[in-house]
Amino acid sequence: YDRLLADVAALRARVAAVSDTMYRTKIAISLETSGDHGRSASLAVSIDDGIVWTSPPSFRAEDTTKIYEHSVAPGHHALTVEIERRDDRDDTYRSTQRSRFVVDVPNDQNLGVVVKLWDDSDIGGDFRSDHKGQYELRVRMRARAEAVGK
């Protein structure tokens, strides 16, 4: 299994190197997270169903943090963010959310993408006492294209 994962990682690195040589068009992805008690148990970002980034344990990014930047073919690409969140007051309260966005990367443009994850869930602190609570995780994506060289 470890050897297979290493082979997949090596192939992805080769594909990225070829893409950087073939295309001037780039995509840059940044993340920002917020929330008082929601913690990231796992977080992965994919482009066209291939994982391009996974978070370290308990990842937090109060400020916008660039996680990925590479050349891509111009055109439509699917950007997927999959996150499993847990409440730091009670680890048994978890939620998983998968959000998929289709973006258009214009020819000879750099596309900047910022994904913001807000967690206002209160179920981990409230449910045991009053049997009420909510999961509230919002995912928002903003994209902006600029001409290559700017």
Side-chain angles (χ1 to χ4, degrees):
Y1 179 75
D2 289 338
R3 192 175 127 208
L4 182 60
L5 285 179
D7 289 346
V8 168
L11 287 172
R12 286 196 177 139
R14 288 183 193 153
V15 168
V18 169
S19 293
D20 287 343
T21 303
M22 289 179 61
Y23 304 114
R24 291 181 37 176
T25 305
K26 287 188 177 187
I27 189 168
I29 302 169
S30 299
L31 283 176
E32 185 178 324
T33 63
S34 68
D36 292 333
H37 296 286
R39 298 294 180 256
S40 172
S42 66
L43 174 58
V45 176
S46 302
I47 297 177
D48 299 329
D49 296 323
I51 295 175
V52 296
W53 183 82
T54 56
S55 70
S58 300
F59 173 79
R60 290 186 64 96
E62 280 88 17
D63 297 323
T64 304
T65 304
K66 189 179 288 187
I67 60 162
Y68 179 83
E69 183 174 17
H70 277 288
S71 297
V72 293
H76 290 91
H77 294 277
L79 173 70
T80 305
V81 178
E82 188 164 349
I83 183 168
E84 181 182 355
R85 303 281 279 176
R86 62 177 173 76
D87 195 297
D88 64 358
R89 296 165 291 190
D90 187 338
D91 195 53
T92 59
Y93 293 98
R94 293 176 174 243
S95 64
T96 302
Q97 186 166 324
R98 184 174 191 254
S99 301
R100 186 175 179 98
F101 307 95
V102 176
V103 296
D104 184 15
V105 183
N107 193 29
D108 292 328
Q109 302 266 321
N110 292 330
L111 185 70
V113 174
V114 178
V115 177
K116 293 186 178 186
L117 305 165
W118 288 282
D119 191 343
D120 291 329
S121 302
D122 64 8
I123 195 159
D126 290 350
F127 194 79
R128 287 192 189 263
S129 61
D130 62 9
H131 302 286
K132 292 188 288 186
Q134 67 183 10
Y135 289 104
E136 187 176 349
L137 177 63
R138 293 172 293 187
V139 180
R140 184 171 288 164
M141 191 276 298
R142 182 180 70 235
R144 181 178 180 182
E146 293 184 352
V148 171
K150 289 201 171 199

